Amino acid sequence: GEARVYFRGKPLANTKAKLNAPNGSHKPLKTDEQGVVKFTCDEPGRWVLTVPTYSEEQAGFAEGKAYAVVSHNASLAWVVEKQ
């Protein structure tokens, strides 16, 4: 399969992703220039695609403390049925 990863309405190019298989294994992936990540689901069960800790420089305050970077995470889960 494949998925396109967006951030603020634009494809997120060259970004780390991870495919979590039903058996507990993890496969590191990376989006291409158009934000597309390609993968193979070769067993039945719940699969999870994650884009962990994408960060952007954005200053602000939380609970009275200043910060300079905001981190974002995204995930998508689906079930592959037995054939």
Side-chain angles (χ1 to χ4, degrees):
E2 69 179 48
R4 186 178 306 260
V5 179
Y6 288 91
F7 182 70
R8 301 200 188 278
K10 296 179 182 175
L12 197 55
N14 303 313
T15 300
K16 291 180 183 179
K18 183 169 60 171
L19 184 64
N20 303 293
N23 66 11
S25 66
H26 309 284
K27 180 178 181 183
L29 302 171
K30 190 173 184 181
T31 62
D32 66 13
E33 290 296 322
Q34 289 76 41
V36 174
V37 61
K38 295 183 180 184
F39 50 85
T40 301
C41 299
D42 54 3
E43 64 180 89
R46 177 169 292 144
W47 291 80
V48 180
L49 177 65
T50 62
V51 180
T53 317
Y54 176 74
S55 299
E56 66 175 327
E57 291 184 18
Q58 184 178 26
F61 289 88
E63 299 179 5
K65 296 181 181 179
Y67 61 83
V69 175
V70 177
S71 294
H72 305 273
N73 299 287
S75 61
L76 174 66
W78 66 95
V79 175
V80 173
E81 299 292 332
K82 275 188 175 180
Q83 296 293 328

